[in-house]
Amino acid sequence: MRIVIFGAPGVGKGTQAKIIATKLGIPHISTGDILRNAIKNETRLGLEAKKIVEAGNLVPDDIMAGIVKDALSDKLCQNGFILDGYPRTLDQAKLLDNIMQQLEPDNEYYIAIEVNDEEIVRRLTNRLTCKVCGSIFNISDLNDTTICPKCNGVNSFYKRKDDDEGVIRNRLLVFHSTTQPVLDYYGKQNKMIFVDGSLPVDKVAENVLSKLGV
Ligand code: AP5
Ligand code: MG
């Protein structure tokens, strides 16, 4: 199964993608995670992308094309994948169409998670991520912010640089101006499955899996 998960910043793409990837035994490909790793490791890509990502703007399409082609051609993706964070522009959607056309037909699903902007700002200003296991939390769900309840990592939580309120609001502007047309593009082809992301995490996951028929 090849799944593409869409939605504004903070709707829960990463949270849901991890649940679906585990359930279906397919890799979770997050273009944001790939960029953040490159930034952390100070690779050429990371040095090029750092300022753009930390300001909440989009990395140019030609750079993203190389990243997505590399990631999806990995043999780990042979039996499917869940793609999170790509496509975000119409040109990116057209490139993904080309990639999908070369793969087994009728096995692709496009899911859009929807949450209102003020809830998104509340979620992202309170997000913590574990640098050991990658689990994503909200501060209000943690009894102790020094130990990760998933992997027991000590002092392993970090706050993303783009989770500053001003940057979050810019990311939302970029989403509405540039990425919303991509959702409309798939919507017009009746390909998009819409899911209410304002429900609790487990309920959203249940609804997504049921719409996928698994
Ligand atoms: P990316 O990493 O993709 O970030 P994003 O789209 O802004 O989304 P987030 O990762 O912030 O949120 P999410 O939807 O994954 O939510 P999460 O599950 O964490 O991209 C980052 C940057 O990289 C971009 O701004 C851009 O610069 C660059 N980039 C990446 N891809 C690109 C591309 N294709 N082209 C160009 N540039 C690109 O959840 C958020 C919070 O909510 C957490 O605290 C979580 O615990 C909580 N939460 C989740 N679900 C629920 C729920 N149901 N109820 C209550 N709380 C919940
Ligand atoms: Mg994410």
Side-chain angles (χ1 to χ4, degrees):
M1 208 175 242
R2 298 189 305 278
I3 303 166
V4 187
I5 192 158
F6 294 89
V11 293
K13 300 182 296 294
T15 302
Q16 294 302 323
K18 286 179 201 302
I19 296 172
I20 298 163
T22 305
K23 170 95 184 166
L24 301 181
I26 52 176
H28 168 206
I29 310 295
S30 157
T31 50
D33 286 349
I34 293 171
L35 290 166
R36 280 183 291 279
N37 272 332
I39 293 170
K40 190 177 88 194
N41 295 324
E42 299 183 345
T43 64
R44 210 174 122 195
L45 166 66
L47 295 173
E48 227 172 323
K50 184 175 164 56
K51 274 197 183 148
I52 302 172
V53 171
E54 290 176 0
N57 294 316
L58 293 184
V59 173
D61 287 346
D62 57 335
I63 297 180
M64 294 312 300
I67 293 176
V68 87
K69 281 187 205 157
D70 266 12
L72 299 187
S73 61
D74 192 294
K75 67 173 188 291
L76 283 175
C77 291
Q78 260 171 10
N79 295 322
F81 52 79
I82 177 156
L83 182 59
D84 156 12
Y86 192 99
R88 281 170 128 102
T89 66
L90 286 169
D91 279 350
Q92 292 185 10
K94 284 173 188 154
L95 173 67
L96 185 63
D97 282 351
N98 286 337
I99 296 174
M100 291 290 205
Q101 271 158 21
Q102 289 160 35
L103 302 167
E104 185 194 340
D106 300 328
N107 202 18
E108 58 196 56
Y109 297 85
Y110 298 82
I111 296 169
I113 305 182
E114 299 180 298
V115 174
N116 73 61
D117 284 5
E118 286 317 305
E119 168 66 6
I120 283 173
V121 174
R122 193 192 66 74
R123 286 184 185 183
L124 291 182
T125 47
N126 289 298
R127 169 168 58 187
L128 288 179
T129 307
C130 174
K131 65 178 172 230
V132 177
C133 68
S135 298
I136 303 163
F137 300 93
N138 208 275
I139 292 171
S140 54
D141 298 331
L142 291 166
N143 295 324
D144 179 353
T145 53
T146 62
I147 296 180
C148 171
K150 282 267 168 66
C151 72
N152 293 324
V154 179
N155 292 327
S156 61
F157 288 125
Y158 70 93
K159 203 168 159 46
R160 272 172 44 178
K161 286 234 170 99
D162 58 349
D163 278 351
D164 155 90
E165 186 169 343
V167 179
I168 295 167
R169 291 200 183 273
N170 182 46
R171 287 158 64 200
L172 283 167
L173 277 177
V174 171
F175 172 78
H176 290 299
S177 63
T178 311
T179 305
Q180 183 61 50
V182 178
L183 272 74
D184 301 340
Y185 169 79
Y186 289 106
K188 279 186 195 139
Q189 302 174 56
N190 290 324
K191 281 186 173 172
M192 194 64 97
I193 301 170
F194 291 92
V195 178
D196 179 2
S198 67
L199 302 171
V201 170
D202 293 354
K203 190 67 201 160
V204 178
E206 198 185 305
N207 289 345
V208 171
L209 291 166
S210 127
K211 292 194 180 194
L212 291 173
V214 291

